[in-house]
Amino acid sequence: MSHPGVTTESRLVRMLLIGTAGLIVGLLLLMPLLAVFIEALRKGWEVFLASLHDEAALSAVKLTLTAAAVSVPLNTLFGVGAAWAVTKFRFKGRALLISLIDLPFAVSPVIAGLVFVLLFSPHGWFGRWLEEYDLKVIFALPGIIIATMFVTFPFVARELIPLMAAQGSDQEEAAVTLGARGWQIFLRVTLPNIKWGLLYGVLLCNARAMGEFGAVSVVSGHIRGETNTLPLHVEVLYNEYQFSAAFACATLLALLALVTLGIKSAIEHFTGHRHHGRH
Amino acid sequence: MSISIQSIHKTFGGYKALDDISLEVSDGSLTALLGPSGSGKTTLLRIVAGLEFADVGSGKILFHGENVVNVPAGRRRVGFVFQNYALFRHMTVAQNIAFGLSVLPRRRRPSGKEINERVRELLHLVKLDGLERRRPDELSGGQRQRVALARALAIKPKVLLLDEPFGALDAQVRKDLRRWLRVFHDETGLTTLFVTHDQEEALELADQVVVMRNAHIEQVGAPQEIYDQPRTPFVYEFLGNVNKLAAAAGPAQYVRPHEIEVKFAAEYEPASDRLAVVQHLFSAGPVASLSVRLEDGQFLEVEISRKQLDELALSEGDKVALGFPISDNR
Amino acid sequence: MSKRRVIPGFGLSLGFTLCYLSLLILIPLAALFLKAAGLGWQEWWRLLGSARVLAAARLTFGASACAAALSAILGLPVTWVLVRYRFPGRRLMDAMIDLPFALPTAVAGITLTTIYAPNGWVGAWLLKLGIKGAYSPVGVFIALTFIGFPFVVRTLQPVLEDFAKDTEEAAATLGAGRWLTVRRVVFPMMVPALITGFTLAFARALGEYGSVIFISGNLPMKTEILPLLIVSQLEQFNVPAAAVIASAMLVVSFMLLLSINLLQRWLDWQKS
């Protein structure tokens, strides 16, 4: 039965390759994931739960959720608008616009934080003006939200643009000839066709928004209980040698990652379409 | 409703897609826009529909005397059937057909019951009774095409436009659907304009054929007229098989394979006939096709009936005399 | 008269896109360049030429390149197995590939540090071989490999999936053995994707911060990466230095983005 076809390898080679791939994925990816949970529970459930009930941890969770709750919807709106503009119309500078949307992927998160410090810190461009009105951006919630928006900017657009480009505009044009108007076309024709891609983009955007570290770290000022997001809280605990607590909080973020991957797999399974994002 | 297209120009970037196109389509006619790809026929159809806009300052498009150039596509009351049907994949057949009614402003929108009734009528009209709840991907190509047609008809269009209506279908379905569409058109009397690159389709189906090439209209006329009296070499070559005979002086002569008369070499008349040698015989089918070589070395294709072939008892290598029709402007 | 369009929403969607893009991305980035440009060339050379910056640049670029290369080497058999073979656990393995995309970098950072620390699962074992895992350039390299790995697999995967088996069959009918077919037919076809994957992983690694700073130990001149150097300059209120280093990094990143776009075109062209 195991007669190898002309386009596959002998059984032995296949087993060896599968074993090698398993080893690579196991050592490189699976081991760190397991380590998060093992380290978190090293001192038992009580320490684990206490670390999560800690006030600073709770406020970090709250801040993380708040930042995501603002930045993800805004970037979703942007992503849909940008995808509509560049896939349904041809105009001068379109190719440039598509490249510019990718720009934040090429920017180190640290630099993303830095640019907002330059703009909004007391010595920055708008520093004096902000001070006059007693507004705080850097080392405060607005700065965290803006930095998060910067780094998660392309996710939804990146998912939608290839999808909508591949689908073309035939269905929208058909809707036009049948008398449908602006929002009717989007809500009744376009949206149902892109909903899975949109959901996937939102999911990735959210995962990154909640997990963002570098950019937020630069603008947050690390004020415990005030401007620490969950990833920053993990850092603080780790640097204070509270390893079990750090890993306990890290499990929340790891679970977020697992849920994201799970839903991604489910969407792919459901739609039979594979997403090859680069993020 | 009649359509009058008056000196329409269209350029894409620097590329001329339509150059001064004028055309009259009479009320209730079935007109084919025929041409090779890139001839501008689809662009013209899309401009009539309002899916594309003619160059600023160029001519007019009149629907029953009224200029619709500034009327948006959604208000032109045009039924448009896309080449790949553009059915809404996430909707059922019934939802697809009802779409044009359900997007009407509330005060003009029929009630749910009325819409359902209309959907049923339309499905009956296109012979798809009972398929309301199917989704487009559960239908065959021919069924999809008819759903697209029903969807376009739901808004009670004044004009029906079809872009390559049979392009995506296989040969047999194509033939059936073509006949069905002709009958359908005669029953509804809807002014219909369709785009095709298939000359057989255009000649068989249309009342009026518009042959297009390189952004121009080459010839407009009834199918018979276009076939029998082609006005340009392009039309001659594009419609049906044709032999091109190089002449010693003057322009080349065109002659269709069935127009050539084949006689015994003994009946040769030097004044009008030419002598040739039979190179190959293809006699499978109702018509026999001969490949012959003239004395000057040119090859011609000739078609004769099987009966005539038997009478002549030809075989390869035989010498024959060929009689040519009297040509005027060829 | 503006151009008429059939599908509605052009002005709204493009206007919103341009405003949002300008306010959030373009103007802030321009501000950074302006800030840095205001210092003059001499200051640029002085800051970028300092021993500490050069050491950090060497580590950042060196470790990123090595990590991207290792990702490419490891990614090849993993992608092959995922695309070509069916085995229990394949879907799980496929889903796991994206873990570094989804796992917050800080979590990756502390976890990798714990594993590769001298008393960690792998670190202790490495130490016996005389290799210091965490708190050394090796640690930086490990973290960046973790981060870059999925870029290679996800770039190779669609190419290998689309790869027409009949080309391989043709090679086989021409008498090529399996290994020869893979080496001479399949592998060359994958080179563009491999280069693209490498470049993506490399570009991402250059800017990486969260997963590196825990494992690197952050010793100036030894294990300090460029993003960390920016942060430490900022913390010392040396804003000009931070801006100059960041601008220089951005220029490199933009050039990489440009080459990635060109590579992507190459890939698309190859596919069609």
Side-chain angles (χ1 to χ4, degrees):
Chain A
M1 171 62 213
S2 70
H3 179 73
V6 290
T7 56
T8 189
E9 293 71 42
S10 70
R11 198 177 154 78
L12 181 70
V13 174
R14 271 181 296 172
M15 296 305 258
L16 267 173
L17 278 172
I18 291 172
T20 311
L23 200 68
I24 292 169
V25 172
L27 273 177
L28 192 64
L29 306 177
L30 202 56
M31 188 168 64
L33 185 65
L34 290 178
V36 176
F37 293 94
I38 291 170
E39 289 296 325
L41 294 170
R42 190 170 282 259
K43 292 195 179 149
W45 279 99
E46 272 154 59
V47 177
F48 176 81
L49 290 175
S51 320
L52 295 183
H53 273 100
D54 176 63
E55 210 164 299
L58 288 176
S59 92
V61 169
K62 222 172 98 187
L63 183 61
T64 298
L65 292 177
T66 312
V70 179
S71 52
V72 174
L74 281 173
N75 280 340
T76 303
L77 210 60
F78 162 76
V80 172
W84 186 268
V86 301
T87 60
K88 299 296 174 201
F89 307 103
R90 294 284 174 276
F91 51 90
K92 262 191 199 133
R94 181 176 160 273
L96 178 69
L97 181 58
I98 296 176
S99 309
L100 286 178
I101 291 170
D102 267 349
L103 207 55
F105 280 145
V107 176
S108 170
V110 165
I111 298 176
L114 172 69
V115 294
F116 294 112
V117 171
L118 289 180
L119 287 178
F120 299 121
S121 74
H123 304 286
W125 284 17
F126 301 112
R128 174 93 27 101
W129 183 83
L130 288 171
E131 224 160 60
E132 238 167 69
Y133 292 89
D134 202 23
L135 295 171
K136 260 195 100 157
V137 174
I138 298 304
F139 308 145
L141 180 64
I144 292 173
I145 290 175
I146 295 173
T148 305
M149 279 164 67
F150 185 104
V151 289
T152 58
F153 174 83
F155 282 82
V156 176
R158 204 56 272 175
E159 247 349 279
L160 290 185
I161 289 171
L163 181 66
M164 285 168 67
Q167 286 180 348
S169 303
D170 273 11
Q171 294 194 35
E172 283 78 10
E173 287 185 350
V176 166
T177 63
L178 293 169
R181 284 148 294 146
W183 289 105
Q184 286 178 325
I185 297 173
F186 177 71
L187 293 174
R188 299 188 50 177
V189 176
T190 311
L191 191 59
N193 277 325
I194 59 167
K195 61 182 178 214
W196 292 113
L198 181 63
L199 176 65
Y200 183 51
V202 170
L203 208 66
L204 290 175
C205 184
N206 180 64
R208 180 69 192 270
M210 292 191 172
E212 177 49 30
F213 178 73
V216 171
S217 154
V218 172
V219 296
S220 97
H222 293 83
I223 308 167
R224 201 169 189 161
E226 266 184 54
T227 62
N228 268 351
T229 60
L230 198 51
L232 296 181
H233 186 59
V234 169
E235 183 200 16
V236 170
L237 291 173
Y238 186 87
N239 287 343
E240 288 171 352
Y241 302 102
Q242 301 188 47
F243 295 131
S244 290
F247 277 102
C249 292
T251 54
L252 293 182
L253 294 166
L255 284 175
L256 170 74
L258 287 179
V259 169
T260 305
L261 294 184
I263 301 178
K264 177 191 183 235
S265 280
I267 294 175
E268 278 176 5
H269 189 67
F270 193 69
T271 60
H273 179 258
R274 173 172 274 298
H275 296 274
H276 290 290
R278 36 180 245 241
H279 319 115
Chain B
M1 195 171 62
S2 66
I3 305 172
S4 172
I5 297 164
Q6 301 179 355
S7 50
I8 288 293
H9 292 257
K10 175 70 182 176
T11 42
F12 289 112
Y15 171 75
K16 255 191 193 153
L18 293 176
D19 190 7
D20 198 13
I21 298 289
S22 296
L23 178 67
E24 297 294 327
V25 178
S26 59
D27 188 22
S29 75
L30 180 52
T31 297
L33 298 176
L34 172 66
S37 59
S39 57
K41 55 193 194 303
T42 295
T43 305
L44 183 59
L45 192 77
R46 287 171 62 87
I47 288 177
V48 172
L51 290 173
E52 209 84 67
F53 300 105
D55 291 345
V56 176
S58 85
K60 289 187 235 177
I61 293 177
L62 309 179
F63 280 11
H64 203 70
E66 182 201 349
N67 189 0
V68 294
V69 163
N70 290 314
V71 178
R75 274 193 250 134
R76 286 194 192 183
R77 297 285 295 279
V78 162
F80 198 97
V81 176
F82 289 77
Q83 187 172 6
N84 294 307
Y85 320 132
L87 292 177
F88 305 128
R89 273 171 301 179
H90 58 286
M91 296 182 195
T92 62
V93 166
Q95 286 168 333
N96 263 285
I97 297 173
F99 185 85
L101 300 174
S102 66
V103 296
L104 284 171
R106 198 164 300 240
R107 63 203 149 69
R108 290 196 357 239
R109 194 186 310 159
S111 72
K113 231 178 101 188
E114 286 167 315
I115 292 182
N116 288 341
E117 189 50 40
R118 181 103 182 92
V119 167
R120 230 189 350 263
E121 280 169 31
L122 284 162
L123 277 175
H124 181 68
L125 186 67
V126 297
K127 309 265 182 292
L128 291 174
D129 303 82
L131 294 188
E132 281 93 341
R133 307 184 70 175
R134 296 276 191 89
R135 282 181 191 274
D137 56 8
E138 297 166 344
L139 302 177
S140 72
Q143 287 174 327
R144 279 182 217 180
Q145 213 239 18
R146 281 178 287 158
V147 172
L149 191 60
R151 183 178 69 176
L153 293 172
I155 59 167
K156 298 211 168 107
K158 296 173 181 164
V159 177
L160 187 60
L161 306 175
L162 306 124
D163 186 8
E164 293 278 3
F166 313 105
L169 301 171
D170 50 40
Q172 190 51 47
V173 183
R174 211 174 170 137
K175 277 218 157 107
D176 294 346
L177 214 54
R178 203 192 285 170
R179 298 210 175 106
W180 176 81
L181 187 70
R182 180 71 233 188
V183 173
F184 175 83
H185 172 263
D186 294 344
E187 280 171 5
T188 57
L190 203 55
T191 310
T192 304
L193 203 56
F194 74 98
V195 157
T196 180
H197 64 270
D198 182 340
Q199 37 98 7
E200 196 187 317
E201 202 166 282
L203 296 178
E204 188 183 317
L205 198 52
D207 306 323
Q208 177 179 245
V209 177
V210 180
V211 184
M212 294 186 68
R213 180 176 74 133
N214 286 346
H216 290 278
I217 292 181
E218 291 273 313
Q219 191 174 356
V220 181
Q224 190 77 40
E225 181 190 341
I226 297 266
Y227 189 81
D228 289 342
Q229 294 147 21
R231 214 175 292 144
T232 67
F234 172 79
V235 177
Y236 223 129
E237 288 191 62
F238 196 68
L239 280 112
N241 278 339
V242 73
N243 292 301
K244 188 177 180 180
L245 268 175
Q253 226 186 0
Y254 290 88
V255 58
R256 297 208 188 277
H258 70 264
E259 291 174 329
I260 300 171
E261 189 191 356
V262 181
K263 296 181 283 194
F264 291 111
E267 298 171 24
Y268 174 64
E269 283 177 30
S272 58
D273 294 357
R274 295 179 76 166
L275 283 168
V277 178
V278 177
Q279 298 286 312
H280 292 287
L281 268 173
F282 309 95
S283 53
V287 177
S289 160
L290 275 59
S291 174
V292 299
R293 198 177 63 171
L294 294 178
E295 285 173 317
D296 61 3
Q298 293 191 73
F299 281 88
L300 289 185
E301 210 183 299
V302 181
E303 277 171 15
I304 54 174
S305 70
R306 288 290 296 272
K307 193 169 156 244
Q308 200 191 352
L309 180 70
D310 292 342
E311 284 166 12
L312 291 166
L314 288 176
S315 57
E316 286 169 9
D318 286 354
K319 218 170 195 191
V320 289
L322 302 178
F324 288 87
I326 309 302
S327 62
D328 34 26
N329 61 343
R330 285 165 192 167
Chain C
M1 185 175 144
S2 68
K3 206 175 148 198
R4 293 169 65 191
R5 292 169 199 277
V6 172
I7 296 176
F10 178 66
L12 180 68
S13 61
L14 187 64
F16 176 62
T17 302
L18 290 178
C19 280
Y20 197 92
L21 176 74
S22 307
L23 285 177
L24 189 61
I25 311 291
L26 300 183
I27 294 174
L29 286 179
L32 171 68
F33 279 118
L34 276 180
K35 175 88 191 168
L39 295 174
W41 287 111
Q42 279 177 329
E43 192 63 8
W44 268 65
W45 279 126
R46 194 184 65 77
L47 284 167
L48 291 181
S50 79
R52 190 169 164 192
V53 173
L54 289 179
R58 234 187 331 268
L59 175 65
T60 307
F61 283 90
S64 295
C66 291
L70 183 62
S71 294
I73 293 166
L74 297 180
L76 205 53
V78 171
T79 316
W80 183 267
V81 163
L82 281 177
V83 174
R84 287 302 174 89
Y85 304 151
R86 293 293 169 267
F87 54 93
R90 191 188 70 93
R91 265 173 61 82
L92 184 70
M93 190 193 271
D94 193 22
M96 282 296 296
I97 301 294
D98 282 332
L99 183 75
F101 285 153
L103 193 70
T105 53
V107 178
I110 62 170
T111 312
L112 290 173
T113 312
T114 307
I115 293 173
Y116 291 95
N119 59 351
W121 297 349
V122 184
W125 180 77
L126 280 179
L127 207 57
K128 273 185 205 151
L129 300 173
I131 303 168
K132 202 173 165 203
Y135 318 124
S136 76
V138 177
V140 178
F141 164 70
I142 291 167
L144 295 179
T145 307
F146 175 81
I147 291 298
F149 181 69
F151 287 94
V152 174
V153 176
R154 292 299 185 226
T155 313
L156 284 176
Q157 212 166 4
V159 175
L160 196 57
E161 272 167 3
D162 289 352
F163 189 80
K165 271 206 166 169
D166 53 12
T167 318
E168 282 170 64
E169 282 166 358
T173 59
L174 295 171
R178 183 62 190 154
W179 171 236
L180 193 68
T181 306
V182 170
R183 204 161 43 101
R184 297 277 298 278
V185 178
V186 183
F187 202 73
M189 295 286 281
M190 312 244 310
V191 166
L194 210 54
I195 294 173
T196 310
F198 170 89
T199 316
L200 282 167
F202 178 68
R204 170 66 198 265
L206 284 186
E208 182 53 29
Y209 179 70
S211 58
V212 178
I213 56 159
F214 296 97
I215 202 169
S216 68
N218 305 330
L219 289 173
M221 306 297 295
K222 292 217 172 85
T223 58
E224 187 179 51
I225 54 166
L226 281 173
L228 182 75
L229 187 56
I230 294 173
V231 173
S232 68
Q233 294 302 311
L234 196 62
E235 276 167 358
Q236 293 160 27
F237 301 105
N238 192 355
V239 178
V244 166
I245 301 167
S247 302
M249 275 191 80
L250 270 185
V251 171
V252 175
S253 297
F254 291 166
M255 290 195 299
L256 278 171
L257 187 67
L258 192 72
S259 48
I260 288 165
N261 275 341
L262 293 176
L263 282 168
Q264 206 72 51
R265 252 178 244 175
W266 184 22
L267 268 187
D268 292 344
W269 172 80
Q270 187 199 36
K271 257 198 237 173
S272 61

